[in-house]
Amino acid sequence: MRTRQAISLCRGPVAPALWLIAGLLVAAPEATAQLTPTDRIVARLDSGWRPASRTFAGTRVFTAHQEQGQFAADYELKDGGVVDGGVSYLLWRNLGIGLDVSHFRTIHEARISSEVPHPFFFDLPRTTTGRAGGLERQELGLHIRALWVTQFADWLVVSVSAGPSIISAKQDLVTAVQHTEVGFPFSDIVFSDHTVRAQSKTTTGLNGGVDIDSFFLHRLPFLRNFAVMRHIGVGLLARYVRGVVMLQIDGQPIEVDLGGLQITSGVRFRF
Amino acid sequence: MHALNRPVCGAIALALLTLPASATAQLQAPDGVVTLSAGTGATIAALRESDTLVNQLTRDGSLRLTAQTDDPLVPDRSHERLQQFHEGVPVYGAEVTRQTARGLLVSLFGTVHLAIDLETTPRLSADDAAAVVQDLSGRTLFRSAPPRLVVLPDRANARTYRLVYEARTFTNSQLMVYFVDAATGALVWSYNDLKTQQPVLPCSQCVIGEGFGIKSDRKKMSVTTVGGAFLAHDQLRPAEVFTFDMDGDLPRTQLVLNGLSQLFDADLSTDSDNQWRDGASVDAHVGMGWTYDYLSIRFGRQGLNNQNVRMISLVHPVNRGDIFTATAEEIGLFYLNAFYCGLCGPDGVGVAVFGEGLPPNILLGGQRFDFFSGALDIVAHELAHAVTDFTSALLYVDESGALNEAFSDVIGVGVEFYAESLFRDGAGVADYALGEDVIEPGGIRSLANPIQFGDPDHYSLRFLGKDDNGGVHTNSLIPGHAFYLAIEGGANRVSGLSVAGVGAGNREQIEQIFFRAFTVLMTRNSNFAAARAATIQSARDLYGVNSAPERAVTDAWAAVGVN
């Protein structure tokens, strides 16, 4: 079992990170304190994941049996894949600017809690719960970054960045729920189905992160003769993005948090 | 074979009862009539003796099983209802209820006649009897209730039995029960079986409407939509509930009650926008539904007959504006009363009719009379008569008739308290007064203080005349007051005896005790003493011997002078 997990890790999105660590070990003996970067342009292409940590909720009022009922949807965001890419340019000494694009997608559920009016009596709602699955969240982010780049060695570059983001979010929201009456005396009711409608909106936010890049390939004996290998490396980016968007279901606002911590890794190209 | 055996067995049974006291000391058979009242409080010998008699009569075919039900309130209990027959002809009012627990006898109540010596071949046919009744009443008999041959014990003279035909007919103002001699065609006995309020949905078409009662109180209406209109036809409850608006057409109302005219969807109370504003229709329709709910949730009963028979009511049987040309009989029944007519209406399933009340500017005795359906306790009261008809069928005369009325009052009050606690909007304030929501001020009866309306609150004050079927309404307050005392406690005004009631928070206990006693333990001829025994037995079955509810019930009966 443990062996299988280890193999899985090597093949998963963290594989480039493991390569980065391997590169550090290989190149460590020759590390020197060369703090100003030698290359002005770095391009990245990453993939990774965003851990599940966010929930948001929406409440909707409806009319049934001549009375108002309501349901609350607690949206439980799950882990999702992130694809992230971008370019940075060194402006002056260690200061640079970057422009990244990221895309996050996940399929998640919402826990539905309903209060449904009784067919015979006022003020005697029945409560029920259920789950609405297959909900999709997508976030397309454009991140403008100011970078402080430090080159610890020819093969090891670390940058710290922050800046504004523009996030376009698309979220499936539960707009209606259906219930099935169990029958007389109608003291119980069963959640049976739900209706979903996608809502899209763009907002601004903030981003900040740390990128550790290792250009160690040209130091490997079997790649030493390939000059292009000096420009190719691997990197690990930890980025936190924060944004808030107000979505609406028939005029009722739902505040949705966007972004979160994401860990990506991938290839780096420097010029 | 059976014809020979039965008198012999009856004689043996009678002989058993005349054995020396050491052998059978419990059962008494004065004049050959045995009253069984053996329950948890009886000695084993008495119970065994009663059981021996019942078994013997069952073996020889004199007692036959007519109903068997599992007890919805006490697990593992079941109830049998046995009817006595004499040479294949039912003996009127001679019934036994037998309660068992996993096959072991718990209680026996009822009356059997052991000294019947009567030839059972009638000289008149059923058609002949129908013709006699038609002459007597001026009405055609219900198709669903042809005359049936019965042995009728004489109510005044013991050991006197007559072979008669029993027939029922509605005579525009009375549901008469006639007993016609099967040999001569002479009228032997008759009584009015009309139970009056006072003397004298998951389907595709089901929708919920909003209705306003006569007091503009907001209620939900379970109705049916057809062709864009909304009809007062509740299909959400297991028993369909219909409310028909007779539109003040008295002749048609009477034809419907007589079974001579059908009711159609067009007769249902209707509304165009599902915002119902005819208070009489709203209150009748909602009240019937709530009564169904109460019977189901409180007692596990499936509607009036425990088989979800349709519940039908008629509102606006007359027009208030016509009161000045109406007869006194019509005013007394269709304006100032509500009644339940068993066997009336479509298929003879029974109909509740709610009187129209008086024009607002007319007072009677200082009281204003509104639409009778506007009182939830009156609606429930009338429907409870149907429950009685389908269970103990308490004879609507004298003490059994008073018990019949008392049971309806108990259910009426019970539904009102139930509604108050659960149905927050539109139920009004619950109390022990009857009809106070439509007969203002005060109502017509009070279980808490019967003397307020001149009704007896003690057995010693009971009405002994012939009026009102032997005082069925006024005497009903004696058991009704016992019910009140068992819940709320207090001292009886006459006896001064105090009762420690179970308390309003435990009213469900007394309601269940009474309901169970009246529906499964009592029989057609039960009197107050039998009701006392049955309710005490019921209390023991439900809550145990010497439990607080049993003590409350026992003390309450003692306080009102029934021992």
Side-chain angles (χ1 to χ4, degrees):
Chain A
M1 192 60 135
R2 286 175 187 161
T3 306
R4 197 177 302 156
Q5 283 177 334
I7 292 171
S8 175
L9 283 173
C10 290
R11 290 176 180 170
V14 295
L18 295 175
W19 279 108
L20 177 66
I21 295 167
L24 290 171
L25 294 173
V26 169
E30 298 184 25
T32 57
Q34 186 182 350
L35 299 180
T36 303
T38 55
D39 299 281
R40 283 194 173 274
I41 297 173
V42 175
R44 311 181 295 106
L45 183 60
D46 283 2
S47 66
W49 63 286
R50 180 191 289 176
S53 61
R54 293 296 179 88
T55 63
F56 65 99
T59 300
R60 177 126 200 251
V61 176
F62 57 88
T63 300
H65 303 328
Q66 300 286 340
E67 199 178 0
Q68 281 200 331
Q70 66 174 24
F71 73 85
D74 291 316
Y75 297 85
E76 300 163 342
L77 229 54
K78 284 188 172 177
D79 297 7
V82 178
V83 177
D84 195 322
V87 179
S88 61
Y89 180 76
L90 195 64
L91 292 173
W92 177 71
R93 301 188 73 168
N94 295 77
L95 188 63
I97 188 170
L99 184 66
D100 291 355
V101 175
S102 68
H103 182 263
F104 165 73
R105 179 178 182 271
T106 184
I107 302 294
H108 64 97
E109 294 183 334
R111 183 176 183 275
I112 306 293
S113 304
S114 305
E115 284 189 358
V116 185
H118 196 285
F120 300 154
F121 317 119
F122 286 105
D123 302 324
L124 203 66
R126 289 85 46 85
T127 57
T128 185
T129 59
R131 300 195 77 81
L135 305 175
E136 184 182 37
R137 157 79 74 92
Q138 289 191 55
E139 291 177 24
L140 181 63
L142 180 66
H143 312 289
I144 300 168
R145 299 193 294 154
L147 301 97
W148 183 263
V149 184
T150 303
Q151 181 168 321
F152 291 98
D154 173 53
W155 53 271
L156 179 62
V157 180
V158 174
S159 62
V160 178
S161 66
S165 296
I166 299 171
I167 309 167
S168 177
K170 182 181 177 186
Q171 172 69 53
D172 285 343
L173 296 174
V174 179
T175 57
V177 289
Q178 287 85 48
H179 298 93
T180 301
E181 295 281 4
V182 174
F184 185 83
F186 299 99
S187 51
D188 296 311
I189 195 163
V190 176
F191 172 82
S192 57
D193 203 357
H194 63 282
T195 304
V196 169
R197 192 167 70 214
Q199 293 271 304
S200 298
K201 201 160 188 180
T202 300
T203 189
T204 56
L206 297 171
N207 72 82
V210 178
D211 187 15
I212 304 171
D213 301 339
S214 175
F215 297 88
F216 63 93
L217 296 177
H218 68 284
R219 305 184 80 89
L220 296 172
F222 55 94
L223 295 174
R224 187 169 298 168
N225 295 329
F226 297 94
V228 70
M229 288 302 160
R230 187 194 165 277
H231 300 282
I232 300 174
V234 296
L236 177 68
L237 170 65
R239 169 187 280 160
Y240 183 79
V241 180
R242 167 70 175 164
V244 178
V245 68
M246 295 298 287
L247 301 180
Q248 285 194 336
I249 308 173
D250 295 339
Q252 294 184 34
I254 298 177
E255 185 178 292
V256 178
D257 287 342
L258 303 177
L261 177 66
Q262 63 186 51
I263 309 292
T264 60
S265 60
V267 294
R268 302 288 185 270
F269 304 97
R270 61 180 179 180
F271 307 100
Chain B
M1 186 75 158
H2 284 295
L4 285 174
N5 282 343
R6 276 178 209 126
V8 173
C9 289
I12 294 171
L14 192 56
L16 273 173
L17 299 177
T18 56
L19 285 173
S22 58
T24 57
Q26 309 300 326
L27 289 181
Q28 301 296 319
D31 305 317
V33 181
V34 179
T35 299
L36 300 170
S37 183
T40 310
T43 63
I44 292 176
L47 199 58
R48 189 176 296 157
E49 189 178 4
S50 299
D51 193 34
T52 301
L53 175 63
V54 170
N55 284 335
Q56 186 168 346
L57 293 174
T58 304
R59 275 196 301 274
D60 74 21
S62 294
L63 279 176
R64 299 181 190 173
L65 185 67
T66 57
Q68 186 166 23
T69 56
D70 290 332
D71 196 321
L73 299 177
V74 183
D76 301 324
R77 295 288 174 91
S78 64
H79 300 273
E80 294 175 338
R81 190 173 288 275
L82 302 125
Q83 164 73 51
Q84 186 183 359
F85 284 76
H86 172 68
E87 295 185 2
V89 179
V91 180
Y92 195 78
E95 292 175 281
V96 173
T97 62
R98 177 161 52 190
Q99 180 186 190
T100 55
R102 291 186 291 275
L104 296 175
L105 180 67
V106 175
S107 67
L108 277 165
F109 292 98
T111 306
V112 290
H113 298 259
L114 302 179
I116 304 174
D117 182 14
L118 186 70
E119 175 60 43
T120 57
T121 305
R123 288 186 200 161
L124 297 183
S125 67
D127 289 342
D128 294 336
V132 171
V133 171
Q134 198 165 319
D135 285 344
L136 287 168
S137 65
R139 297 288 162 184
T140 304
L141 289 188
F142 290 113
R143 290 188 303 276
S144 55
R148 66 164 189 152
L149 201 61
V150 298
V151 172
L152 182 67
D154 192 298
R155 297 179 64 79
N157 303 304
R159 289 180 182 269
T160 301
Y161 300 91
R162 299 180 78 159
L163 187 66
V164 299
Y165 281 103
E166 177 199 11
R168 293 173 174 242
T169 188
F170 185 73
T171 65
N172 284 349
S173 60
Q174 295 181 317
L175 178 60
M176 290 304 299
V177 184
Y178 293 103
F179 296 88
V180 175
D181 193 300
T184 65
L187 179 64
V188 175
W189 184 48
S190 67
Y191 71 93
N192 181 8
D193 197 34
L194 197 67
K195 284 88 175 183
T196 56
Q197 184 56 224
Q198 55 180 330
V200 249
L201 116 82
C203 66
S204 60
Q205 295 176 307
C206 297
V207 291
I208 302 301
E210 183 180 31
F212 297 89
I214 65 167
K215 295 187 180 303
S216 299
D217 43 339
R218 196 165 155 253
K219 296 168 176 173
K220 290 189 178 184
M221 295 266 289
S222 175
V223 299
T224 298
T225 178
V226 177
F230 299 93
L231 309 176
H233 175 195
D234 177 2
Q235 299 183 71
L236 288 180
R237 290 180 169 88
E240 292 180 87
V241 179
F242 298 85
T243 302
F244 290 96
D245 182 354
M246 302 313 294
D247 206 21
D249 188 344
L250 178 59
R252 177 156 159 68
T253 300
Q254 291 170 326
L255 289 174
V256 167
L257 293 174
N258 277 308
L260 300 175
S261 178
Q262 297 296 308
L263 286 166
F264 303 99
D265 278 359
D267 295 314
L268 286 164
S269 294
T270 185
D271 192 87
S272 59
D273 62 359
N274 215 15
Q275 298 291 306
W276 298 69
R277 299 196 177 275
D278 175 22
S281 294
V282 169
D283 287 336
H285 197 65
V286 172
M288 286 198 294
W290 288 2
T291 302
Y292 180 92
D293 300 341
Y294 173 74
L295 294 173
S296 172
I297 292 166
R298 189 73 106 216
F299 310 119
R301 185 172 181 82
Q302 303 299 305
L304 305 181
N305 68 344
N306 211 19
Q307 294 176 356
N308 288 322
V309 69
R310 288 178 292 174
M311 300 166 71
I312 299 171
S313 75
L314 307 183
V315 297
H316 302 309
V318 289
N319 191 326
R320 278 185 178 177
D322 297 337
I323 191 169
F324 302 106
T325 57
T327 66
E329 197 174 55
E330 289 167 353
I331 293 173
L333 194 60
F334 294 104
Y335 289 84
L336 301 178
N337 222 324
F339 60 92
Y340 175 79
C341 178
L343 295 180
C344 280
D347 305 328
V349 297
V351 173
V353 182
F354 299 107
E356 194 73 353
L358 297 175
N361 56 336
I362 297 180
L363 300 181
L364 193 64
Q367 288 181 307
R368 177 175 171 268
F369 286 71
D370 210 336
F371 299 102
F372 274 65
S373 59
L376 177 59
D377 50 12
I378 287 181
V379 174
H381 173 105
E382 300 307 335
L383 296 175
H385 281 308
V387 175
T388 299
D389 277 0
F390 286 114
T391 54
S392 60
L394 284 160
L395 194 60
Y396 202 60
V397 292
D398 301 334
E399 287 193 13
S400 57
L403 289 169
N404 193 321
E405 276 296 320
F407 176 70
S408 281
D409 281 355
V410 163
I411 295 298
V413 167
V415 171
E416 204 170 86
F417 276 100
Y418 185 71
E420 183 188 52
S421 64
L422 270 180
F423 316 140
R424 294 170 184 81
D425 196 350
V429 178
D431 52 31
Y432 289 91
L434 268 292
E436 76 286 355
D437 291 324
V438 294
I439 303 170
E440 300 173 297
I444 51 173
R445 287 192 289 275
S446 170
L447 274 59
N449 183 22
I451 205 71
Q452 177 186 347
F453 295 93
D455 296 312
D457 52 1
H458 193 271
Y459 192 63
S460 62
L461 302 177
R462 69 191 182 279
F463 175 74
L464 294 171
K466 296 292 182 189
D467 292 346
D468 187 27
N469 280 17
V472 296
H473 288 91
T474 190
N475 287 338
S476 71
L477 272 302
I478 296 169
H481 188 50
F483 171 78
Y484 165 81
L485 289 173
I487 294 174
E488 303 290 347
N492 179 263
R493 185 185 64 89
V494 177
S495 68
L497 294 176
S498 291
V499 180
V502 296
N506 296 316
R507 68 174 56 258
E508 185 175 334
Q509 296 175 341
I510 303 301
E511 289 176 11
Q512 291 185 336
I513 287 168
F514 271 66
F515 182 87
R516 191 167 173 276
F518 275 72
T519 56
V520 297
L521 298 181
M522 287 160 61
T523 61
R524 185 184 291 267
N525 274 327
S526 292
N527 56 15
F528 285 5
R532 175 186 180 277
T535 49
I536 291 170
Q537 176 65 44
S538 181
R540 288 171 176 162
D541 294 338
L542 287 167
Y543 301 105
V545 175
N546 205 30
S547 60
E550 186 212 332
R551 289 196 303 275
V553 169
T554 304
D555 293 347
W557 282 112
V560 299
V562 177
N563 293 298

